[in-house]
Amino acid sequence: MTQTAWTGTGHPARHSTHTHRFATPLDPVVRRMRALRADLPARDGVAVFNRVYLTVTEEISRLLAHDHFTDPRAAATLDVLFAGRYLAAVESSSLGRRPPDCWRPLFQYRRHRGVRPLQFALAGINAHIGHDLTLAVVDSCRALDCEPALLERDFDRIGDTLVLLEERIREELMPGPDLFEVADPMTHLLASWSLDRARDASWSAAKVLWQLRELPSLAQEFTDRLDAGVGLVTRCLLTPLSVPD
């Protein structure tokens, strides 16, 4: 499995570990993310998030291969549908179509030199967790013909992986030299957002949306407002903190 680290400039520093590799349902997703990594400039905001998400997906694929989930089929279904929403947003943008509101700020600001790599990573995580994960849970329940409660343990396991990787992302993309410089606006930005809280909100929203499945017009209104609200947070996370050269 190949793992990727990031420097403060957004350039990957790659290293490999040689472990026995089993095929999993996430392999096609991993291949698509690796193709994006190869195609996009390293400093591009979407590329920064893609490197983060590729590492997450490779780790979840490894866990699937070694039976670390309560229900591997359900976990794989959830993660494939989850990742598919990000990849669909990238495709929409590349084809000139409007992506979901939660993703639009990242595509709009992806080349802004005043936005730091960590901001791109957090903005993508916010869009993906706050909006896409909610819809992926509902999509998975429909695909598996089950209630959200049956996915909760594997949802939490995937979330725990994301939280652990978030710590590494912050360490590797946080500008130095003093990570706790109170005057740095990045410090305040980091304090205002939490992946753990975003994950909990996503799970609650998924349960509400599942209960609205027999009320399609209300479910659509809820989904649209969720998309817009998450997009607002994404835009705030991308507030330029540096003066472009």
Side-chain angles (χ1 to χ4, degrees):
M1 181 177 69
T2 300
Q3 296 177 319
T4 307
W6 300 272
T7 66
T9 60
H11 292 281
R14 300 179 61 198
H15 60 276
S16 297
T17 57
H18 300 286
T19 57
H20 189 62
R21 179 74 169 83
F22 297 95
T24 78
L26 287 179
D27 286 354
V29 172
V30 169
R31 286 195 294 271
R32 289 180 68 186
M33 290 183 187
R34 287 175 178 168
L36 283 172
R37 181 181 62 187
D39 291 343
L40 295 174
R43 185 59 177 81
D44 180 284
V46 176
V48 173
F49 170 72
N50 188 76
R51 289 193 296 272
V52 170
Y53 194 25
L54 173 58
T55 300
V56 171
T57 306
E58 288 175 333
E59 175 62 14
I60 292 173
S61 183
R62 186 190 68 79
L63 293 174
L64 279 170
H66 292 86
D67 295 324
H68 283 268
F69 289 98
T70 305
D71 184 340
R73 175 172 172 260
T77 298
L78 175 58
D79 209 67
V80 168
L81 292 173
F82 182 33
R85 288 190 170 272
Y86 155 64
L87 294 170
V90 173
E91 182 177 10
S92 292
S93 179
S94 67
L95 293 175
R97 298 197 298 258
R98 181 186 175 110
D101 287 348
C102 62
W103 284 105
R104 287 188 71 209
L106 181 58
F107 292 116
Q108 291 171 336
Y109 281 78
R110 63 192 295 178
R111 297 180 181 88
H112 197 298
R113 289 179 295 169
V115 179
R116 299 178 186 177
L118 178 58
Q119 291 176 263
F120 289 131
L122 291 182
I125 293 170
N126 176 72
H128 202 37
I129 298 293
H131 174 265
D132 295 352
L133 185 55
T134 295
L135 301 189
V137 169
V138 174
D139 291 343
S140 298
C141 288
R142 290 195 176 107
L144 298 166
D145 192 23
C146 71
E147 295 288 325
L150 294 179
L151 295 176
E152 188 167 8
R153 290 184 66 181
D154 288 327
F155 176 97
D156 287 341
R157 185 60 190 268
I158 292 172
D160 291 343
T161 303
L162 292 169
V163 170
L164 289 172
L165 287 168
E166 182 198 19
E167 294 299 322
R168 198 173 82 191
I169 291 162
R170 289 175 184 252
E171 290 173 1
E172 293 173 353
L173 288 178
M174 184 72 183
D178 185 356
L179 302 186
F180 301 100
E181 177 58 58
V182 175
D184 190 333
M186 183 67 80
T187 303
H188 298 281
L189 184 68
L190 284 173
S192 69
W193 190 86
S194 162
L195 189 150
D196 216 10
R197 289 196 298 269
R199 180 186 66 173
D200 291 345
S202 181
W203 178 252
S204 296
K207 291 192 293 183
V208 171
L209 190 56
W210 180 251
Q211 293 301 317
L212 294 175
R213 66 191 182 280
E214 303 299 333
L215 301 168
S217 61
L218 192 55
Q220 187 60 55
E221 181 179 351
F222 182 88
T223 301
D224 291 344
R225 292 184 181 277
L226 176 68
D227 189 19
V230 173
L232 179 61
V233 176
T234 302
R235 172 63 186 85
C236 291
L237 288 169
L238 292 171
T239 300
L241 300 180
S242 304
V243 179
D245 297 331

